[in-house]
Amino acid sequence: MLNAYVNAFRTPDLRKKLLFVLFVIVIFRAGSQIPAPGVNVRSVHDCIAGIDKSNNIYNLINTFSGGALLQLTVFALGIMPYITASIILQLLVVVIPRLEALKKEGQAGQTKITQYTRYLTLGLALLQATGIVALARSGNLISGCDPTLHPLLYDNGTSTFLVMVLTMTAGTAVIMWLGELITDRGVGNGMSILIFTQIVARFPTSLWSVGKSKGWWVFGVVIAIGLVIIAAVIFIEQAQRRIPVQYARRMVGRKMFGGSSTYIPLKVNQAGVIPVIFASSLLYLPAMASQFTSNQNSGWSIFINKYLVRGDHPLYMLAYFAMIIFFTYFYVSITFNPEEVADNMKKYGGFIPGIRAGKPTEDYLSYVLSRITLPGSLYLGLIALIPLIAFVLIGADQNFPFGGTSILIMVGVALDTVKQIESQLQQRNYEGFLR
């Protein structure tokens, strides 16, 4: 990995791209530190210092914003609205025939879907900003913070409310623009790199808090366990089941086509980090509903606050684990269509050795996919539970650095970026056959 980056900096055009990515990241991090208009910065810092982090329903969004959410900065919403909009569009492509037709139109259709994703991102950002600023006005954004002693806003008026909502929504639009700039002029996927940046930004703080609160011996154990987890995640993320495909030879005019062999790569973790985000988001809904209710002593509100807010409760862990497994199967089923793959293979003369084309091929692909999804879903569930288990065992923050969405995204984005750098290096160092 390090050799790829060193060789990239030796290549002039790749060096420019990498420096451009670093420049955008600096701008992005600067926007994550600038408070929105009307925010009482001193009160926010005092509240964050005494926050009960085991009982904060915004941990996931705060992680994706690099801690900017609870600080109410210009980029407080981070990349989360775009992630949510992308997931919604992926699901709607399967449900709405018009979107499915656009997906099959190639680049023009994908451009249209990207435009819809942008519009939906702004709509979701507006809704999220409204909810967050409303919670900040009422003092319920940071749990355990007394709004009378530490008001988060200087003014609770309507004008301040509107300015903050518009500022955070505009910040989300700027983040989208920065991500697309990285994709067009830099290296790697822009949105993924921005998510990676925000998560890595909280990494040193999380490790330092473990060392200060639990001692440096525990800190060393955490580092050792973290390295093992990273190695295991890299191994699973790279693991795949290769299904061999043979193409029959056929004559088209006077030319012979086909006769080649390839394979269908089915990854063990076919769904990526999406099921973890789905499960986390769904578990936040009852907690958010409980925050907005006027009667905090009602039976259902007490049940939610007792069992579905604190991550150290066994019922919360069990529900989280079960939902990750369910969403893994669900997401894989809508993103990989065995029937479509079997039809395309049959159309172009491809077949799996020992399996007849058509329906038998479809059944075989479904069988392999269901078998390989089970270890993938269990792996995602166990990785997602690591921060919760760490909280129970050593009392660490639920934003425990080595686990959950953080480690999955960091490893996945790093591997993908290195692959893109290596592919561009190969293109530039390829000497051809005439040399």
Side-chain angles (χ1 to χ4, degrees), residues 119-417:
Y119 294 145
L120 184 57
T121 300
L122 291 179
L124 291 174
L126 188 62
L127 290 175
Q128 288 186 14
T130 303
I132 289 167
V133 177
L135 287 173
R137 276 209 308 181
S138 64
N140 294 324
L141 178 64
I142 303 177
S143 58
C145 183
D146 188 353
T148 57
L149 297 176
H150 302 287
L152 300 182
L153 307 181
Y154 286 114
D155 179 22
N156 290 334
T158 305
S159 59
T160 303
F161 179 87
L162 292 176
V163 168
M164 289 187 66
V165 169
L166 290 176
T167 300
M168 291 182 181
T169 306
T172 302
V174 172
I175 289 173
M176 277 198 300
W177 178 62
L178 292 177
E180 292 178 0
L181 278 179
I182 292 177
T183 304
D184 293 339
R185 302 183 183 181
V187 178
N189 183 281
M191 295 301 178
S192 299
I193 290 176
L194 293 183
I195 298 172
F196 176 87
T197 303
Q198 295 293 64
I199 292 174
V200 170
R202 290 173 58 85
F203 213 76
T205 306
S206 300
L207 284 175
W208 183 256
S209 65
V210 171
K212 284 187 66 177
S213 60
K214 302 301 172 185
W216 299 108
W217 186 85
V218 175
F219 175 82
V221 173
V222 168
I223 292 292
I225 294 174
L227 294 176
V228 173
I229 292 173
I230 290 175
V233 169
I234 292 174
F235 177 76
I236 299 295
E237 290 295 320
Q238 299 285 77
Q240 56 183 223
R241 166 78 155 86
R242 296 182 175 182
I243 299 178
V245 178
Q246 186 74 34
Y247 284 91
R249 308 184 74 172
R250 53 198 178 94
M251 289 289 295
V252 178
R254 294 184 178 182
K255 293 184 178 181
M256 180 74 71
F257 291 92
S260 60
S261 60
T262 182
Y263 59 87
I264 302 174
L266 294 180
K267 294 181 66 176
V268 173
N269 182 20
Q270 190 85 356
V273 76
I274 300 299
V276 180
I277 297 175
F278 270 19
S280 302
S281 303
L282 204 59
L283 278 175
Y284 283 142
L285 293 179
M288 289 181 65
S290 175
Q291 287 267 341
F292 282 107
T293 186
S294 57
N295 184 11
Q296 292 290 327
N297 296 322
S298 60
W300 72 274
S301 182
I302 293 174
F303 177 84
I304 288 172
N305 290 325
K306 184 177 180 181
Y307 297 110
L308 296 180
V309 173
R310 296 188 67 89
D312 56 346
H313 198 280
L315 182 61
Y316 181 96
M317 294 185 184
L318 182 62
Y320 193 31
F321 188 78
M323 290 173 68
I324 288 174
I325 292 177
F326 168 77
F327 281 122
T328 302
Y329 275 93
F330 173 75
Y331 190 75
V332 169
S333 68
I334 66 172
T335 53
F336 186 89
N337 189 350
E339 181 181 358
E340 183 179 351
V341 174
D343 288 343
N344 288 335
M345 288 171 55
K346 186 177 180 180
K347 186 186 300 182
Y348 294 104
F351 62 92
I352 300 173
I355 307 294
R356 294 178 58 188
K359 190 68 167 62
T361 299
E362 177 190 341
D363 294 339
Y364 177 76
L365 290 175
S366 300
Y367 171 76
V368 173
L369 192 64
S370 63
R371 293 287 294 272
I372 204 172
T373 303
L374 178 61
S377 62
L378 294 176
Y379 148 78
L380 280 178
L382 291 174
I383 291 293
L385 286 180
I386 286 175
L388 308 183
I389 296 171
F391 178 77
V392 173
L393 295 179
I394 64 173
D397 181 0
Q398 275 193 44
N399 293 320
F400 185 70
F402 295 109
T405 53
S406 302
I407 202 72
L408 289 171
I409 291 174
M410 284 195 300
V411 171
V413 174
L415 290 174
D416 181 62
T417 305

Side-chain angles (χ1 to χ4, degrees), residues 87-102:
I87 293 172
I88 291 174
L89 259 296
Q90 284 185 4
L91 297 176
L92 291 180
V93 163
V94 182
V95 177
I96 301 177
R98 169 61 181 160
L99 292 178
E100 188 176 1
L102 281 176

